[in-house]
Structures are given as C-alpha cells and as structure tokens.
C-alpha cells in the first residue's frame, strides 16, 4: 500500500511472514493508523503496544483498509 493513501483513524490489514516452531507462516492482523510521519506511521491494536512501521514496511505489509 502506498503511504500517501493512509488515513488516520482507519484500520488496515497488516500481513507479514513469521517463523513459528521452525515453520514459515503468514500472520495477519487489523491495525489502526494513529499517526503518520515522514519515516513511516504509528499503528495501534487493542492490548498491544504501539506498532511503528517504516515506509518500506507499509508498502510491503499493508494490504487493504477496513472502512468503518
């Protein structure tokens, strides 16, 4: 996803690859955009610390928006 399309307050699907028990898996979660900066953006999720993604991670890992 292009960072210029991010909207503060919207939720986005964050997809990344992770290794669990030696097996590569695809992890997905909905995260809410809290703040946009020059180097990336800050996202949040209930009961988790804030998540900071760089511009490169935003382009690779954010797939779509949940428009609510």
């Amino acid at each position: 996803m292009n960072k210029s399309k991010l909207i503060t307050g919207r939720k986005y699907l964050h997809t990344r690859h992770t290794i669990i028990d030696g097996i590569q898996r695809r992890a997905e979660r909905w995260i809410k955009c809290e703040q946009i900066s020059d180097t990336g953006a800050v996202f949040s999720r209930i009961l988790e610390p804030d998540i900071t993604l760089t511009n490169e991670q935003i382009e690779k890992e954010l797939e779509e928006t949940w428009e609510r």
Side-chain angles (χ1 to χ4, degrees), residues 7-67:
I7 298 171
T8 305
R10 285 229 175 130
K11 291 186 179 180
Y12 297 89
L13 184 62
H14 180 221
T15 304
R16 63 189 174 95
H17 293 281
T18 187
I19 296 176
I20 300 172
D21 293 331
I23 300 170
Q24 185 171 347
R25 301 183 188 270
R26 179 180 162 143
E28 295 180 344
R29 62 182 173 180
W30 288 99
I31 55 177
K32 181 179 178 182
C33 182
E34 297 292 343
Q35 179 183 0
I36 301 170
S37 66
D38 293 336
T39 59
V42 177
F43 297 87
S44 68
R45 186 158 182 228
I46 297 173
L47 302 176
E48 290 186 18
D50 287 346
I51 304 152
T52 303
L53 297 179
T54 64
N55 292 338
E56 183 178 298
Q57 288 172 315
I58 290 169
E59 288 187 22
K60 286 183 180 179
E61 298 177 4
L62 289 185
E63 292 190 2
E64 60 186 78
T65 181
W66 182 23
E67 297 184 20

